[in-house]
Amino acid sequence: METIVLGIGETLVRDDRHWASWANWLGVPAHTLSALVGAAVAQGRDATDALRVLRPGMDVDEAYLARAAAGRGEHLDESDLYPDVRPALAELRAAGIRVVVAGNGTVRAGERLRALDLPADLVVTSDEWGVRKPDPAFFARVVEVSGAEPGATLYVGDHPADDLFPAAAAGLRTAHLRRGPYGHWWAEHPDVVGTADFRVNALTELVGVVGGAHAARPAFEDGTGAVGGARPAKVSYLRGL
C-alpha cells in the first residue's frame, strides 16, 4: 500500500460536539437528538434525517447558514480528534505511506482541520471539491490526489454507504473502521464483511495492515469476516443504495 486516505467524521473527528450544537440550536435535549440519530443509523438512513424528525421539512443547509450567521457555526479543535489520530498518522508517514484526509465537510471544517497541522500530506473536504460522498465523482477525485494506483490506495472510513461501498466500486482497497454509530451498528453485516479488504477497531492498526502483517486476516478480535476484495451488491437499505 502506497497511500492511505481517511474520512473525517467518526474516523478522525468525534461527532458528539456536532450533534450537541444542533440540539442546542433546535432547543431540544442533546439526548433526544442523539437517540433520533441512533434510530436513523439503525434504519440505514442519513443521520441528518434526525433533524427533520424534529423539524419536518427542514432545509439542513439553510439552517447551517443561519447558525453561522448567528455566530453559532461549527467548531473544531484538538479536543474533537480521536486520541489515536495523531500517533497513527505520524506512524504511517514514518513508514513512508502518503496520508490524505478527504471526507464530507464544509470549507470551514477544512480550514480548521488544516489549522490543526495534522501529520498528513493533504487535507481536503467535500465542499472544497464541490462533490460529496458517496458520489462516484468524489472517489474519482480521491484517485486523482492519492498519488498511487487505486489498488495501492486504501480508503478508511466508518460508513458503509458513504465510504466502503463507493470506494470499493472505484477500485480502491478499503478498510472499515468500527467506530461511531454506523461503524458499530453495521460492522457485522455480511455485505460490510464481504466488501471490506480489512476491518479495524482503531487507526493504530493501519500500520500493520499496510505492512502486510494482517493481510490475510481481519483485524477484529473475534476473527470473523472475509478479506480479499469481494465486491457484493450494495446494501439496499443503507441510504437507498
Side-chain angles (χ1 to χ4, degrees), residues 53-101:
V53 170
L54 294 168
R55 299 290 185 272
M58 174 181 180
D59 185 319
V60 176
D61 291 335
E62 186 177 284
Y64 168 81
L65 293 175
R67 281 181 51 195
R72 297 167 66 181
E74 63 187 320
H75 181 81
L76 193 156
D77 62 26
E78 188 74 23
S79 67
D80 295 300
L81 296 177
Y82 277 98
D84 60 355
V85 171
R86 284 195 182 278
L89 270 56
E91 194 172 1
L92 287 166
R93 292 189 80 190
I97 303 298
R98 176 173 166 80
V99 175
V100 175
V101 174

Side-chain angles (χ1 to χ4, degrees), residues 2-237:
E2 299 175 24
T3 301
I4 287 191
V5 186
L6 303 102
I8 298 172
E10 291 300 347
T11 298
L12 302 187
V13 175
R14 294 162 40 135
D15 280 349
D16 44 331
R17 187 203 296 265
H18 169 79
W19 292 115
S21 64
W22 271 114
N24 182 265
W25 176 255
L26 296 174
V28 301
H31 172 72
T32 298
L33 181 53
S34 179
L36 290 171
V37 169
V41 169
Q43 294 172 29
R45 296 165 59 182
D46 192 310
T48 56
D49 284 350
L51 300 174
R52 300 181 185 93
V53 170
L54 294 168
R55 299 290 185 272
M58 174 181 180
D59 185 319
V60 176
D61 291 335
E62 186 177 284
Y64 168 81
L65 293 175
R67 281 181 51 195
R72 297 167 66 181
E74 63 187 320
H75 181 81
L76 193 156
D77 62 26
E78 188 74 23
S79 67
D80 295 300
L81 296 177
Y82 277 98
D84 60 355
V85 171
R86 284 195 182 278
L89 270 56
E91 194 172 1
L92 287 166
R93 292 189 80 190
I97 303 298
R98 176 173 166 80
V99 175
V100 175
V101 174
N104 283 349
T106 63
V107 171
R108 179 184 174 95
E111 293 169 348
R112 289 183 173 268
L113 275 172
R114 286 188 291 273
L116 294 178
D117 195 24
L118 295 171
D121 298 282
L122 174 68
V123 176
V124 65
T125 65
S126 57
D127 280 10
E128 292 171 325
W129 273 350
V131 62
R132 292 177 61 84
K133 297 183 296 184
D135 193 313
F138 178 93
F139 290 92
R141 293 298 304 272
V142 168
V143 171
E144 288 176 12
V145 303
S146 73
E149 293 297 319
T153 301
L154 182 72
Y155 194 88
V156 183
D158 65 293
H159 197 306
D162 280 0
D163 299 322
L164 182 62
F165 301 149
L172 299 164
R173 303 291 295 278
T174 58
H176 182 251
L177 176 62
R178 189 172 190 161
R179 174 176 285 174
Y182 287 99
H184 283 286
W185 186 261
W186 295 100
E188 301 301 332
H189 189 278
D191 286 355
V192 171
V193 172
T195 300
D197 294 296
F198 308 98
R199 299 191 298 146
V200 297
N201 294 305
L203 298 180
T204 47
E205 296 176 16
L206 292 173
V207 172
V209 166
V210 298
H214 305 296
R217 296 177 60 84
F220 286 175
E221 292 180 0
D222 62 10
T224 62
V227 175
R231 297 289 181 259
K234 296 174 183 176
V235 182
S236 61
Y237 42 85

